[in-house]
Amino acid sequence: MADMLTIGSSATMAFKNALDVTSHNVANVSTEGYSRQRAEILSNSPNIVGPSFMGGGAQVDSVERINAEYIQSQLINSHAILNRYDTQLSLSTQVEGVISGNDSGVQEFMQGFFDSLQNLASNPTSSTSRQLVLDDAGSLSSHIQNLTSVLNDTQDQVNNQITGLTTEINERLETIQKINVQVANSLNNSQQLPNDLLDQRDQAVMELSQYIDIKSSETEGGQVEVFLSDGRLPLLADNKIVPLKADLSPYQNEGRVELYMTINGTTQVVSDRIKGGELGGVLDFRTNMLDQAQNDLGVTLNGMVASMNWQHYQGYDSNDQPGGNLFEPLNIDGVLAAKSNAQDGSDIMVSFNPNQGVSEPPYTLPEAGTYAQKQTYLDNAMSQIGQFTSREYEIKADGAGYKFYDKHTQEELTPTAGAAPNTYQLDGLLFDLSANTNVAGDSFLVKPHQEILQNFAVALKDEDSLATRGQSPDPADTNPTPAAEGDNVNIANMASLQSAKILFSDESGQASETLLGGYSKMATNVGMYVRSSEIQQTAQNNVFTQLVQQRDSISGVSLDEEAANLIKYQQAYEAAAQIISTSQSLFQTLLGVVRG
């Protein structure tokens, strides 16, 4: 009877534990990240009675956590990618709205400016027409400044987001670190895995992947380690956090926030290593849309400024003076410096100076010189404008010379030596480093096409200084003279720049875009980025949804299944209790027989 009682007692305990596990599943049906658990009921060791093996009942051997690690890993990766494209789409849609909202304005003001040039060409002596040109140029400048201000505000927003997301990431790492400690303590004090803690840790890792792309792995000691997605830089290793730090870029005057990590005492920028999560989305948006949009717009404006100014130089105004600058020319008298030994880059000049040695800034062509020479200078200027490229430049000194790189791709660029020592022509621009002391390790950052956004303005203030008249067309003239009053040749040539293809030359030197086409190309690139982000976001959302469904099918709590288990285990518990009751009844009967 003792064996029967033991079997009944162990059975009731086993089924009670099974009921507890089932109840725990039901209670956590809505707990995010919870993996359903299952009581593993195993047969006890049999009793040997003579030649027979008698059953020993059953017990709960362990409580298993139903979890598929490979799906969890896929979920983390998909979650990071989805949040990247969610963020990209949100930010890029915002900028697309700004661009499209201003698109008609920019197109309208540019068209208005060209229309006023054409109107002046038809009435070259009209004071009203002259003033209208300056007014329309000023309106275009004001509109560009408004658009630039919004884009600058977006850059500030990106800086704030990077800083805020970095704080969130470090806090999530602290959460995982604390759970690691709890898991280790639990494993030291019990053979049973701390299932709920493991769920909490998996959920913490999942939440971390919302902000950054990661790879996680479990050590033999049961702790989780977290690395950036390339697996090379640790965020949490040996349960020690390597925090991310958001700080100004090495070019601190740039006002741009980058991400840093300190590994073995060495601090390095890791912004380019982060591809996923909200942080990856913000960084991709900044580089591939916001920076690109500003540089694209800057190329168009630099093309407009340079072409208008150089054509204006060819003519003469009402006072028989040669044309000067219509717009403020590109003239950067100082760039951002990093790793500099007491140098700040202020002695570096960057300008549009296609005929170095002939026309120094502010590009006033000498009156001396033949008509043919001035036409050659103009042709060369237009050719150089076609070389403008939408990028930023990093200049690195090695003690002997300078090397030029594309800031974002780090492609090494090959400039052409200028006419003066330590001057270089590259992508249509003149880089003058002649006053700079070459110190190995110095590096300098130049953003010529973003610089023009900040400084786009009308230089000419007096309507009588508009160089509407042409010049003597005789190639033999050594000193070209103004054409007769009322001549419209030069202003007509300026108006014709509206339809001239002067931007984005191919390898043969053939330009492919007009000024208005250059602006449209920028707007098109913005739209393409938004569409691409939208497509990727939709695709990744579908992938993530499918993975969630797969996880739920394996690890999720099914109320129907748990309800069936409750009934099964309740009935089994009651039957086991009946075994105990029967055992007690039989034992009492035996006692009664013995007592007589």
Side-chain angles (χ1 to χ4, degrees):
M1 296 304 102
D3 288 343
M4 185 177 179
L5 181 60
T6 301
I7 290 172
S9 297
S10 65
T12 54
M13 183 58 66
F15 293 124
K16 177 185 178 300
N17 289 339
L19 285 168
D20 290 341
V21 170
T22 304
S23 301
H24 186 57
N25 286 339
V26 172
N28 286 279
V29 66
S30 297
T31 301
E32 192 169 2
Y34 177 79
S35 299
R36 69 185 177 90
Q37 299 176 19
R38 181 176 63 209
E40 295 292 331
I41 301 176
L42 299 180
S43 177
N44 286 329
S45 300
N47 296 318
I48 301 175
V49 180
S52 302
F53 287 85
M54 303 297 292
Q59 65 175 342
V60 173
D61 180 66
S62 64
V63 178
E64 295 296 322
R65 174 172 171 256
I66 310 304
N67 179 264
E69 291 186 5
Y70 70 94
I71 290 182
Q72 188 69 20
S73 177
Q74 291 175 349
L75 266 174
I76 290 171
N77 182 58
S78 178
H79 194 232
I81 297 174
L82 174 60
N83 279 278
R84 166 188 168 168
Y85 288 114
D86 277 344
T87 303
Q88 280 184 207
L89 183 59
S90 174
L91 289 171
S92 61
T93 302
Q94 173 184 326
V95 171
E96 184 188 37
V98 172
I99 298 297
S100 61
N102 286 271
D103 183 58
S104 59
V106 173
Q107 298 270 9
E108 179 182 340
F109 285 119
M110 288 184 73
Q111 186 62 56
F113 172 69
F114 282 115
D115 288 345
S116 67
L117 290 175
Q118 187 62 55
N119 183 60
L120 181 56
S122 301
N123 304 278
T125 60
S126 169
S127 176
T128 301
S129 297
R130 287 173 174 271
Q131 187 59 48
L132 183 61
V133 169
L134 298 184
D135 290 345
D136 284 342
S139 296
L140 174 61
S141 174
S142 296
H143 193 75
I144 291 297
Q145 291 305 318
N146 291 337
L147 177 57
T148 300
S149 177
V150 175
L151 295 176
N152 288 341
D153 289 344
T154 305
Q155 287 281 13
D156 292 339
Q157 176 188 341
V158 166
N159 282 344
N160 292 333
Q161 282 189 263
I162 291 172
T163 301
L165 290 170
T166 301
T167 300
E168 290 284 352
I169 289 167
N170 290 332
E171 288 178 353
R172 293 301 188 280
L173 289 171
E174 290 177 2
T175 299
I176 298 170
Q177 181 188 48
K178 291 176 181 177
I179 298 176
N180 270 343
V181 172
Q182 294 174 338
V183 169
N185 291 337
S186 178
L187 292 175
N188 289 334
N189 296 322
S190 172
Q191 296 298 317
Q192 172 64 46
L193 290 175
N195 293 329
D196 291 339
L197 282 176
L198 298 181
D199 283 342
Q200 292 173 24
R201 188 171 64 185
D202 280 355
Q203 183 61 25
V205 173
M206 176 68 75
E207 291 175 0
L208 175 62
S209 71
Q210 174 182 338
Y211 305 106
I212 191 172
D213 50 324
I214 56 173
K215 282 187 177 179
S216 63
S217 59
E218 187 172 333
T219 66
E220 291 184 1
Q223 295 190 342
V224 159
E225 294 187 332
V226 181
F227 292 77
L228 288 183
S229 61
D230 60 8
R232 297 179 180 179
L233 295 178
L235 292 169
L236 179 64
D238 294 329
N239 215 33
K240 294 179 181 178
I241 295 175
V242 182
L244 284 174
K245 181 181 179 182
D247 204 351
L248 291 175
S249 77
Y251 302 100
Q252 294 193 8
N253 293 334
E254 184 184 15
R256 185 185 186 94
V257 172
E258 298 290 357
L259 290 157
Y260 297 83
M261 290 180 70
T262 301
I263 308 292
N264 298 326
T266 301
T267 300
Q268 57 182 301
V269 177
V270 296
S271 302
D272 59 343
R273 308 283 287 272
I274 298 169
K275 306 299 182 184
E278 292 182 18
L279 187 55
V282 171
L283 293 170
D284 188 274
F285 160 79
R286 180 175 69 177
T287 299
N288 295 317
M289 183 180 186
L290 188 55
D291 286 350
Q292 194 64 42
Q294 290 178 299
N295 288 325
D296 287 347
L297 179 58
V299 166
T300 299
L301 294 180
N302 266 325
M304 183 172 191
V305 168
S307 61
M308 284 293 167
N309 283 350
W310 276 86
Q311 184 61 61
H312 198 241
Y313 301 153
Q314 302 298 103
Y316 290 84
D317 65 17
S318 299
N319 300 313
D320 295 341
Q321 296 298 310
N325 289 319
L326 176 59
F327 293 101
E328 292 291 349
L330 176 69
N331 189 9
I332 305 174
D333 57 350
V335 298
L336 306 173
K339 302 176 184 177
S340 181
N341 299 308
Q343 296 188 90
D344 59 6
S346 60
D347 51 7
I348 295 176
M349 303 282 291
V350 183
S351 60
F352 178 68
N353 196 349
N355 299 288
Q356 189 182 6
V358 175
S359 55
E360 299 292 342
Y363 310 120
T364 301
L365 288 166
E367 278 196 85
T370 67
Y371 172 89
Q373 285 175 327
K374 292 181 71 175
Q375 186 62 44
T376 299
Y377 299 152
L378 175 63
D379 292 342
N380 186 48
M382 292 300 179
S383 175
Q384 291 300 309
I385 292 170
Q387 300 303 313
F388 287 169
T389 304
S390 179
R391 60 180 161 205
E392 302 162 17
Y393 302 87
E394 199 166 22
I395 307 170
K396 298 180 180 180
D398 58 11
Y402 298 93
K403 292 185 177 181
F404 291 73
Y405 299 87
D406 183 302
K407 173 62 171 59
H408 291 304
T409 66
Q410 284 302 298
E411 173 192 0
E412 185 172 357
L413 308 173
T414 304
T416 301
N422 285 325
T423 62
Y424 305 87
Q425 288 281 356
L426 178 63
D427 293 341
L429 301 172
L430 176 68
F431 296 78
D432 187 347
L433 288 81
S434 58
N436 184 261
T437 303
N438 189 310
V439 178
D442 285 1
S443 59
F444 306 93
L445 178 63
V446 189
K447 298 182 176 183
H449 300 302
Q450 290 192 27
E451 187 76 17
I452 197 68
L453 296 182
Q454 314 301 325
N455 301 309
F456 182 66
V458 180
L460 195 149
K461 306 300 181 184
D462 181 8
E463 64 184 51
D464 289 332
S465 296
L466 278 169
T468 58
R469 288 191 276 174
Q471 57 191 351
S472 168
D474 185 353
D477 285 345
T478 58
N479 188 8
T481 57
E485 184 177 355
D487 180 84
N488 71 345
V489 168
N490 199 52
I491 199 67
N493 287 338
M494 292 176 67
S496 70
L497 291 176
Q498 175 183 358
S499 57
K501 292 184 177 181
I502 59 177
L503 295 176
F504 306 117
S505 296
D506 56 24
E507 293 182 357
S508 66
Q510 187 70 34
S512 61
E513 288 290 350
T514 64
L515 293 173
L516 282 168
Y519 177 81
S520 296
K521 184 175 181 180
M522 181 274 290
T524 299
N525 288 341
V526 168
M528 288 177 62
Y529 185 91
V530 173
R531 298 289 85 76
S532 175
S533 297
E534 193 172 41
I535 292 169
Q536 293 282 8
Q537 190 270 349
T538 300
Q540 289 301 324
N541 188 58
N542 292 336
V543 171
F544 184 72
T545 299
Q546 290 175 3
L547 287 170
V548 169
Q549 291 172 349
Q550 288 182 23
R551 183 195 181 279
D552 287 346
S553 69
I554 296 173
S555 302
V557 175
S558 167
L559 289 178
D560 290 339
E561 182 180 346
E562 300 305 326
N565 286 338
L566 282 174
I567 294 173
K568 180 178 71 173
Y569 293 138
Q570 179 186 6
Q571 292 175 343
Y573 180 86
E574 291 173 349
Q578 188 63 39
I579 293 174
I580 296 174
S581 176
T582 300
S583 174
Q584 289 177 335
S585 176
L586 291 175
F587 190 69
Q588 291 297 328
T589 300
L590 287 174
L591 285 177
V593 170
V594 172
R595 290 172 181 171

